[in-house]
Amino acid sequence: MIIIEPHIHMLSRTTDDYTAMYNAGIRCVVEPSFWQGSNRRHAGTFFDYFRLSLEFEHTRAERYGIDHWSCISVNPKEAEDLALARETLAGMAPYLDHPRCVAVGEIGFNLITPNEEEVFQAQLEMAKAHALPVLIHTPHDTPRVSKKKGTERILDILREFAYDPGLIIVDHNTEDTMPLTRKTDYWAGLTVYPYSKLNPRRVVDILRQWGLERVLVNSSADWGVSDPCSLAKTATFMGEQGFTQPQIQQIMHDNPLAFYSQTPKFNPRLDLPYIDPATYQR
Ligand SMILES: [Zn+2]
């Protein structure tokens, strides 16, 4: 089974992770832009991060037999500093036009504030201007924020935004938000995490209820507790639960390939050799 991981933050992961992912069948990954753990203070810090993702990480991944692609954005968590976000967006076009940038993302809401909304809307327009797919982060449930409310607000904004719904994925759905997302023609993302978010059992139940069309499953692994091989575990669990091999392949390979192939830039190599780390020079 060849797995395409449609949402993972490899800049935060180790070479051991790459080896484990290769051994688990993962041959291609897409890395959305993400919060690094402390807020950036300069537009240049964003630009260097974009370059690192687009130009360094794919050469690192390649040694482990994995083809790496990027999505570029100011993430929702850092949209609150409006002056910095505007300055970053003003210089973001060359990174969106980079041959390895295959979507705008992740964008959306963190605390669902007016500033976040401005930065979200501006980046939707940039996606349209650059004819790119869009990856949308729905907020986490916290004492202050409701994922369901955030998802409703995102869908309201998207309704006003005239763009092919097939180019948009609304990510990190749960049992609560799938009924909202499935009323639309957008893609729906499901994130498998070891503790928070969904586990393979919940993903399987959601897939049984809502079907396999326009669904992407991802690990969203980052610098927190997360599992870069969770897709392989989900594939195994789907098999144990009676999904057929073509169905598992649809979720793990065909759907992510179809979504990102909507930009002609995405042309993944799924047959890269794994190079024994002992044999290559730094
Ligand atoms: Zn993410």
Side-chain angles (χ1 to χ4, degrees):
M1 169 76 56
I2 289 181
I3 298 173
I4 297 175
E5 163 62 78
H7 183 155
I8 190 165
H9 304 284
M10 293 309 298
L11 285 163
S12 305
R13 308 300 311 193
T14 66
T15 54
D16 284 352
D17 290 330
Y18 271 125
T19 297
M21 290 165 73
Y22 183 86
N23 289 335
I26 297 166
R27 293 291 182 272
C28 173
V29 294
V30 180
E31 168 138 13
S33 296
F34 185 54
W35 182 57
Q36 291 295 77
S38 77
N39 288 0
R40 296 166 177 93
R41 296 173 296 167
H42 316 282
T45 320
F46 277 98
F47 300 145
D48 285 345
Y49 168 80
F50 297 153
R51 195 175 67 158
L52 195 67
S53 183
L54 291 162
E55 296 191 357
F56 171 72
E57 195 58 30
H58 90 91
T59 60
R60 191 168 83 102
E62 201 173 66
R63 290 172 169 176
Y64 299 90
I66 294 177
D67 198 17
H68 178 281
W69 300 79
S70 301
C71 315
I72 295 299
S73 73
V74 172
N75 70 82
K77 195 154 170 113
E78 287 173 274
E80 203 49 32
D81 183 344
L82 207 46
L84 178 58
R86 285 177 180 153
E87 186 187 349
T88 306
L89 297 189
M92 210 164 77
Y95 303 97
L96 295 177
D97 286 335
H98 190 285
R100 297 199 81 85
C101 171
V102 292
V104 171
E106 44 197 300
I107 58 175
F109 283 123
N110 178 43
L111 299 177
I112 324 181
T113 67
N115 287 359
E116 290 175 13
E117 184 161 327
E118 177 182 323
V119 176
F120 176 39
Q121 300 250 27
Q123 293 185 98
L124 286 174
E125 294 300 332
M126 291 177 83
K128 194 191 282 182
H130 292 262
L132 284 169
V134 186
L135 181 96
I136 298 178
H137 170 92
T138 54
H140 306 281
D141 270 320
T142 70
R144 289 170 65 193
V145 172
S146 149
K147 176 182 268 294
K148 194 160 174 235
K149 285 218 172 70
T151 305
E152 282 167 348
R153 184 76 200 113
I154 286 166
L155 295 176
D156 284 346
I157 289 168
L158 291 176
R159 209 168 291 123
E160 304 292 314
F161 171 61
Y163 201 41
D164 177 357
L167 284 164
I168 296 173
I169 176 155
V170 178
D171 208 348
H172 313 314
N173 282 276
T174 61
E175 296 83 354
D176 283 346
T177 62
M178 280 303 273
L180 302 172
T181 310
R182 290 288 86 169
K183 267 191 218 146
T184 71
D185 291 326
Y186 309 121
W187 290 69
L190 300 171
T191 300
V192 190
Y193 252 36
Y195 303 107
S196 60
K197 299 193 175 135
L198 304 176
N199 55 31
R201 156 64 63 195
R202 288 171 66 191
V203 167
V204 157
D205 289 345
I206 290 173
L207 292 175
R208 279 210 182 100
Q209 183 171 0
W210 296 102
L212 311 181
E213 297 302 316
R214 291 199 179 197
V215 175
L216 299 186
V217 180
N218 63 71
S219 75
S220 288
D222 54 32
W223 43 258
V225 177
S226 45
D227 178 1
C229 294
S230 68
L231 286 194
K233 290 168 190 166
T234 304
T236 303
F237 187 69
M238 286 177 74
E240 290 164 6
Q241 292 295 307
F243 285 84
T244 64
Q245 280 305 305
Q247 287 175 317
I248 299 170
Q249 180 177 320
Q250 180 181 350
I251 289 294
M252 298 294 156
H253 173 277
D254 302 352
N255 283 0
L257 183 66
F259 179 74
Y260 286 112
S261 292
Q262 295 180 98
T263 170
K265 289 197 266 183
F266 188 65
N267 191 15
R269 280 195 58 194
L270 303 175
D271 59 350
L272 290 169
Y274 179 90
I275 301 169
D276 181 346
T279 66
Y280 65 73
Q281 305 281 317
R282 271 177 188 276

